[in-house]
Amino acid sequence: MKRKITLFIAAAALSGAALVAAAFGDTSSAAPPQASKGTLVALGKTALGKVLVDARGRTLYLFEKDKRGKSACYGACAAYWPPLLSPAKARPGSGVRAALLGVTRRGDGKRQVTYAGHPLYTFAVDTKAGQTNGEGLKDFGASWDVVSATGRAVEPTTSDSGGAGGGYGG
């Protein structure tokens, strides 16, 4: 019986110590608040090659109707093509150029992440990392394209674009 009580007390003490360490650890890691608040933009692998993705690995798109860094996607459009929002400057993942990341104010005052001047969006039908179901769709008045690390639209090699880019825009 004494052994069980001793084990119980030891387990409780270890749990308490772990909670205290976690609490102090959180306080010390909060020193750079700007770094932890921004939305992550990274590179992820898809069937179209390496493209921009959000923190969950979901593909990011640009909307060709957007002009001068301002979103033209609101209401029903934003329900299908949710804007990538960030409370602070977005954080670049590996392979993403920090100098190309920015934010733009939406009509509702929220801050939308931009890359190379393009407001970024996810696609509601892309439910898993690496999916590119929105590539090339013409919804809400213009085309939607996956974004390369250079900030250009990804154009599959089978497209009719006729350009000399050779495919993936990057």
Side-chain angles (χ1 to χ4, degrees):
M1 181 69 173
K2 275 188 170 184
R3 181 177 169 103
K4 286 183 182 179
I5 292 173
T6 304
L7 287 175
F8 177 75
I9 292 172
L14 285 174
S15 296
L19 288 173
V20 169
F24 283 115
D26 286 347
T27 303
S28 64
S29 68
Q34 204 68 347
S36 63
K37 289 184 180 179
T39 299
L40 177 70
V41 175
L43 281 183
K45 291 181 183 179
T46 70
L48 299 173
K50 287 190 174 186
V51 302
L52 296 184
V53 298
D54 68 6
R56 297 189 303 176
R58 292 185 349 170
T59 302
L60 295 174
Y61 297 86
L62 62 83
F63 186 34
E64 291 183 3
K65 193 173 182 181
D66 291 344
K67 300 291 182 222
R68 291 183 227 93
K70 295 294 183 187
S71 176
C73 182
Y74 290 90
C77 176
Y80 286 99
W81 297 93
L84 182 66
L85 303 175
S86 184
K89 183 169 173 62
R91 295 178 293 130
S94 179
V96 173
R97 293 177 49 195
L100 296 180
L101 280 171
V103 293
T104 186
R105 286 267 184 214
R106 293 181 55 79
D108 60 7
K110 293 181 180 172
R111 297 165 51 106
Q112 183 173 2
V113 178
T114 62
Y115 194 76
H118 301 289
L120 299 176
Y121 306 85
T122 57
F123 183 44
V125 180
D126 289 347
T127 56
K128 296 178 186 170
Q131 291 182 323
T132 57
N133 296 309
E135 170 57 37
L137 292 180
K138 292 187 181 354
D139 290 346
F140 301 98
S143 291
W144 294 86
D145 294 300
V146 173
V147 185
S148 73
T150 63
R152 293 190 205 129
V154 171
E155 299 293 341
T157 55
T158 58
S159 76
D160 300 358
S161 68
Y168 297 110

